[in-house]
């Protein structure tokens, strides 16, 4: 399968302009089975306060942004994962949607909120879903979720072959640990990061795609709008063996680890 990340700079607060710029960028992606966009790709990241975020939010089932992406997915016969600012009732979630040619396949709501996000969004309440597609089982995590190995492990144990990871990274650590998460879970990961600066935050680009042996198989620059593409066989993620005698899943000693709650 072909996976392509679109690394770009969302224009803060302007969903229509972001649709316009993504229209042009997506036309440059040939033949992808899965396209992954950054976190909050519809609106940008650094809301002044919750009221501003509310004004810029959309409900998943009447979102201009997601219906634009559904049109693209249908025309290109592909899947798209994109971060968006989701409203449900009076609550806001930092969410990502998996979209296929028939529209929204599923939504994930970020579990681990970063910094001031805690003043704006509710922590995710949809758990860690995976979605069975003809290109394999797909899970989603969003940006700071990277810090929590349990989240990657849970999706992998549920059978995810690919984890799409829309991001707005500002700390320099994620790209050094993602290859290890790929290796220890024997899965593919696509970290789609954004560029640009909003208020005091500068986003670091360097989007990466990693494989089940912990290799970075495609990566972006720190400062250029670009399409980052890798072609791979997602079935490789079904093999959890690391030697003929060792299996990343069945060798686990869950009986000893116990309940990790603190
Ligand atoms: C982040 O979670 N956007 C750093």
């Amino acid at each position: 399968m072909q996976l392509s990340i679109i690394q770009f700079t969302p224009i803060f607060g302007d969903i229509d302009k972001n649709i316009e710029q993504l229209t042009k960028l997506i036309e440059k992606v040939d033949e992808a089975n899965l396209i992954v966009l950054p976190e909050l790709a519809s609106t940008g990241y650094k809301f002044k306060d919750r009221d501003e975020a509310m004004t810029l939010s959309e409900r998943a089932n009447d979102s201009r942004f997601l219906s634009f992406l559904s049109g693209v997915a249908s025309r290109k016969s592909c899947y798209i994962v994109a971060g968006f600012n989701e409203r449900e009732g009076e609550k806001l979630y930092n969410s990502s949607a998996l979209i296929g040619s028939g529209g929204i396949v599923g939504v994930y709501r970020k579990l681990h909120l970063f910094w001031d996000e805690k003043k704006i969004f509710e922590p995710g309440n949809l758990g860690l879903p995976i979605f069975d597609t003809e290109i394999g089982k797909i899970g989603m995590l969003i940006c700071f979720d990277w810090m929590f190995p349990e989240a990657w492990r849970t999706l992998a144990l549920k059978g995810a072959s690919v984890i799409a990871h829309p991001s707005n990274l500002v700390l320099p650590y994620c790209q050094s640990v993602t290859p290890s998460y790929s290796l220890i879970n024997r899965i593919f990961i696509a970290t789609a990061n954004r560029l640009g600066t909003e208020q005091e935050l500068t986003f670091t680009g360097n989007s990466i795609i990693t494989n089940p042996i912990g290799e970075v198989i495609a990566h972006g620059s720190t400062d250029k709008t670009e399409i980052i593409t890798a072609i791979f066989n997602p079935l490789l993620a079904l093999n959890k063996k690391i030697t003929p005698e060792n299996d990343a899943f069945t060798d686990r000693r869950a009986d000893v680890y116990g309940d990790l709650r603190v």
Side-chain angles (χ1 to χ4, degrees):
M1 67 175 266
Q2 178 181 319
L3 188 158
S4 293
I5 289 171
I6 300 182
Q7 173 175 291
F8 77 112
T9 307
I11 296 161
F12 183 79
D14 199 331
I15 297 175
D16 292 321
K17 282 245 163 57
N18 288 321
I19 290 175
E20 211 177 292
Q21 57 166 340
L22 281 169
T23 302
K24 294 189 190 123
L25 287 167
I26 284 174
E27 285 321 308
K28 297 187 185 159
V29 182
D30 285 328
E31 310 273 320
N33 304 100
L34 175 61
I35 298 173
V36 187
L37 306 181
E39 177 183 13
L40 293 169
S42 55
T43 57
Y45 182 80
K46 193 71 178 90
F47 304 107
K48 188 168 75 222
D49 53 28
R50 194 171 177 282
D51 286 347
E52 184 178 54
M54 183 62 82
T55 309
L56 293 167
S57 64
E58 294 188 298
R59 288 203 301 266
N61 49 20
D62 65 5
S63 154
R64 291 201 302 295
F65 188 66
L66 298 189
S67 62
F68 154 69
L69 294 177
S70 298
V72 174
S74 157
R75 212 169 53 251
K76 286 182 159 306
S77 292
C78 69
Y79 288 93
I80 302 177
V81 169
F84 71 109
N85 171 15
E86 184 188 10
R87 179 175 74 253
E88 186 189 59
E90 286 307 300
K91 295 189 169 152
L92 296 177
Y93 297 93
N94 183 340
S95 298
S96 67
L98 172 66
I99 294 157
S101 39
I104 298 176
V105 177
V107 169
Y108 163 70
R109 293 173 173 163
K110 187 176 186 176
L111 290 177
H112 306 96
L113 299 175
F114 182 70
W115 210 331
D116 285 347
E117 288 175 36
K118 293 187 177 189
K119 299 179 187 150
I120 293 172
F121 298 109
E122 304 298 315
N125 61 352
L126 299 178
L128 288 163
I130 58 163
F131 302 97
D132 204 354
T133 74
E134 63 273 22
I135 52 170
K137 292 184 177 152
I138 297 175
M140 296 179 271
L141 292 176
I142 299 176
C143 204
F144 188 57
D145 285 327
W146 69 263
M147 181 80 187
F148 302 89
E150 297 90 342
W152 303 94
R153 183 63 114 193
T154 301
L155 288 174
L157 288 171
K158 285 183 173 181
S161 299
V162 179
I163 297 181
H165 181 217
S167 294
N168 281 188
L169 292 160
V170 293
L171 301 177
Y173 313 120
C174 172
Q175 290 91 337
S176 29
V177 297
T178 320
S180 304
Y181 287 139
S182 257
L183 171 64
I184 63 181
N185 292 298
R186 312 283 283 159
I187 54 170
F188 294 89
I189 298 174
T191 295
N193 197 18
R194 62 161 286 178
L195 305 166
T197 296
E198 288 179 8
Q199 298 179 34
E200 73 281 16
L201 298 178
T202 294
F203 304 97
T204 53
N206 192 18
S207 297
I208 54 175
I209 304 172
T210 58
N211 74 7
I213 54 172
E215 293 170 334
V216 175
I217 51 175
H219 67 88
S221 65
T222 54
D223 58 355
K224 286 191 196 55
T225 299
E226 58 198 330
I227 318 285
I228 296 128
T229 291
I231 295 172
F232 56 82
N233 180 358
L235 295 178
L236 293 175
L238 302 180
N239 177 7
K240 303 300 178 186
K241 285 221 176 301
I242 190 100
T243 76
E245 298 297 331
N246 293 100
D247 183 294
F249 283 7
T250 57
D251 280 2
R252 294 172 65 245
R253 290 295 308 273
D255 57 323
V256 174
Y257 315 146
D259 183 349
L260 295 179
R261 243 168 278 201
V262 285

